[in-house]
Amino acid sequence: MIKITTTLTKTPKEMPPASKLGFGNYFSDHMFLAKFVEGQGWSDSQILPYGPIPMDPAAAVFHYGQALFEGMKAFRQENGQVVFFRPEFNYHRMKEGAERMCLEAPPLDLFMSGLHELVKVDQRWIPQGPNTALYVRPTLIGTEGFLGVRPSKETLFMIILSPVGSYYGEGNKPINIWTEENYIRAAPGGLGAVKAGANYAASLKPAWEAKKNGYAQVLWLNVDQQGIEEAGTMNIFFVFKNEIVTPALNGSILGGGTRDAIIQLLKSKNLPIVERRITMTEVLKGVQSKNLLEAFGTGTAAVISPIGGLHYRNQNLVINEGEWGQLSTDLYKEITSIQSGAMPDQFNWITALK
Ligand code: COI
């Protein structure tokens, strides 16, 4: 049993209306923190008012980027029950990522106790309404103040909560993406397969440039500039007439929880989902021959986001006339209905708040 000390805020904030949320703009009243020190183990598990945390300016996270995070969602279902979507998936991915980042992963019971207790305290922050959720951000950082380049002997585990609406704004319209050929997100043997903050740092400049040109995300290619990796902060699926393809996890792609859920859903419907290498040449041919019916991105934040347009080498390729396709519509409905409780959870993805 994990002992958590709780200090409640004396100044609870006002919950913004669902229509104003956007993504990641607001934070709940409290946060969860726990500390690991080599030789001493985990201690100081606490829930306290959300706010700044004191840090040594020499902390490893500031200088050498020792940081790893997760993204998960909590919902209030139609019967009032608060649930999490696949928290074990996030725990295991964090544990594997921590190993790569030389951070200490919290034990399972610490992770789950912190998660359940924090959401219990802040459950009024779970927004109601279509396309809304309480986004949960567990994070691990190296906090030891030491400038030699070696793993931090101290890890801070934090969980913060953000009530969110849809990731790409109102309307959930299909997005346009920019195929990136100057920058790459991650190389084989690097950090691409873990949810390291560093991957997102590498993505900021190309994503910002794409945004300035009117593209919501970039399409990341492999080091060979042909193999497709991910679409911005999402995994990607291509729906061809005879098969549905998502890039195989090759060591530089992040294995998303929604990606995995979509693969399970497609398999359960006996649809021909294949995880394999897929190239730009193939996608280009698919658009030209009209063999490519739909493309969509998947992620915890975005859920399913259809790709209506793809810029590649001076061409603006249009996919499914820039509209939501049948498969993306069905999958979106199914996954959000399992989350809201409108459909039974045959895959065991839902965990009720204790
Ligand atoms: C998520 O989908 O949870 C992500 O982590 C994407 C992004 C908000 C960083």
Side-chain angles (χ1 to χ4, degrees):
M1 188 65 186
I2 304 290
K3 191 182 157 337
I4 299 175
T5 312
T6 299
T7 311
L8 295 180
T9 181
K10 293 197 171 67
T11 52
K13 294 178 276 196
E14 209 170 298
M15 168 85 183
S19 60
K20 290 241 166 70
L21 291 175
F23 184 87
N25 299 312
Y26 299 95
F27 298 96
S28 72
D29 283 324
H30 300 91
M31 59 188 179
F32 174 82
L33 303 182
K35 185 171 100 181
F36 174 85
V37 178
E38 202 177 288
Q40 295 174 28
W42 286 94
S43 68
D44 296 353
S45 297
Q46 49 180 328
I47 288 172
L48 64 173
Y50 183 95
I53 46 177
M55 294 269 285
D56 190 319
V61 63
F62 296 137
H63 302 269
Y64 308 128
Q66 237 188 321
L68 179 73
F69 68 91
E70 274 303 325
M72 179 196 320
K73 277 178 174 170
F75 304 88
R76 187 180 295 280
Q77 293 195 325
E78 287 160 4
N79 61 3
Q81 174 73 58
V82 174
V83 300
F84 299 102
F85 188 69
R86 310 196 74 190
E88 297 80 16
F89 181 96
N90 294 93
Y91 174 73
H92 290 294
R93 189 171 62 180
M94 172 171 259
K95 193 163 174 335
E96 281 163 30
E99 210 268 323
R100 176 67 178 86
M101 297 299 292
C102 297
L103 286 160
E104 186 71 20
L108 180 66
D109 58 347
L110 174 59
F111 181 95
M112 292 300 171
S113 306
L115 175 68
H116 282 259
E117 281 310 307
L118 180 64
V119 172
K120 203 182 289 171
V121 168
D122 272 350
Q123 51 179 292
R124 77 176 178 94
W125 285 89
I126 304 174
Q128 296 295 289
N131 304 321
T132 64
L134 186 65
Y135 185 78
V136 180
R137 178 52 71 85
T139 304
L140 290 179
I141 56 174
T143 48
E144 187 191 1
F146 176 76
L147 293 183
V149 181
R150 59 145 175 81
S152 169
K153 292 181 181 170
E154 296 173 12
T155 297
L156 182 68
F157 171 44
M158 327 184 259
I159 309 178
I160 56 173
L161 307 173
S162 175
V164 297
S166 110
Y167 189 65
Y168 293 111
E170 282 314 300
N172 248 350
K173 294 241 163 55
I175 56 168
N176 289 321
I177 60 177
W178 169 273
T179 307
E180 181 53 63
E181 293 192 273
N182 291 322
Y183 304 101
I184 60 164
R185 172 185 171 273
L191 300 177
V194 302
K195 215 163 167 58
N199 293 326
Y200 296 82
S203 79
L204 293 176
K205 184 175 161 67
W208 188 241
E209 285 175 5
K211 188 143 200 166
K212 278 193 292 195
N213 290 318
Y215 297 91
Q217 288 283 3
V218 300
L219 181 65
W220 297 111
L221 301 182
N222 210 334
V223 277
D224 68 10
Q225 297 281 298
Q226 261 300 309
I228 293 171
E229 301 247 306
E230 302 184 25
T233 60
M234 306 182 291
N235 293 116
I236 191 163
F237 286 73
F238 295 96
V239 184
F240 293 97
K241 277 188 181 153
N242 61 347
E243 61 176 348
I244 305 162
V245 183
T246 191
L249 300 180
N250 58 0
S252 53
I253 293 174
L254 185 77
T258 311
R259 173 188 182 278
D260 180 77
I262 292 297
I263 293 173
Q264 288 187 50
L265 265 177
L266 292 169
K267 285 188 176 162
S268 75
K269 296 173 190 302
N270 288 323
L271 289 170
I273 170 71
V274 186
E275 294 174 72
R276 63 165 172 82
R277 173 178 158 89
I278 174 163
T279 64
M280 277 315 291
T281 312
E282 212 182 324
V283 169
L284 198 56
K285 276 197 195 135
V287 174
Q288 285 158 352
S289 65
K290 301 208 184 316
N291 244 327
L292 179 66
L293 306 176
E294 297 178 43
F296 58 87
T298 63
T300 297
V303 192
I304 288 185
S305 183
I307 295 161
L310 178 59
H311 181 280
Y312 182 55
R313 299 196 173 158
N314 299 323
Q315 294 184 73
N316 278 313
L317 309 172
V318 178
I319 303 172
N320 193 37
E321 295 170 6
E323 300 294 339
W324 276 78
Q326 193 57 52
L327 187 64
S328 16
T329 307
D330 292 348
L331 292 169
Y332 179 84
K333 270 201 194 127
E334 204 158 331
I335 219 150
T336 51
S337 301
I338 293 172
Q339 291 171 334
S340 72
M343 260 182 78
D345 169 30
Q346 54 163 312
F347 301 95
N348 252 332
W349 289 334
I350 297 295
T351 300
L353 178 71
K354 279 190 232 134

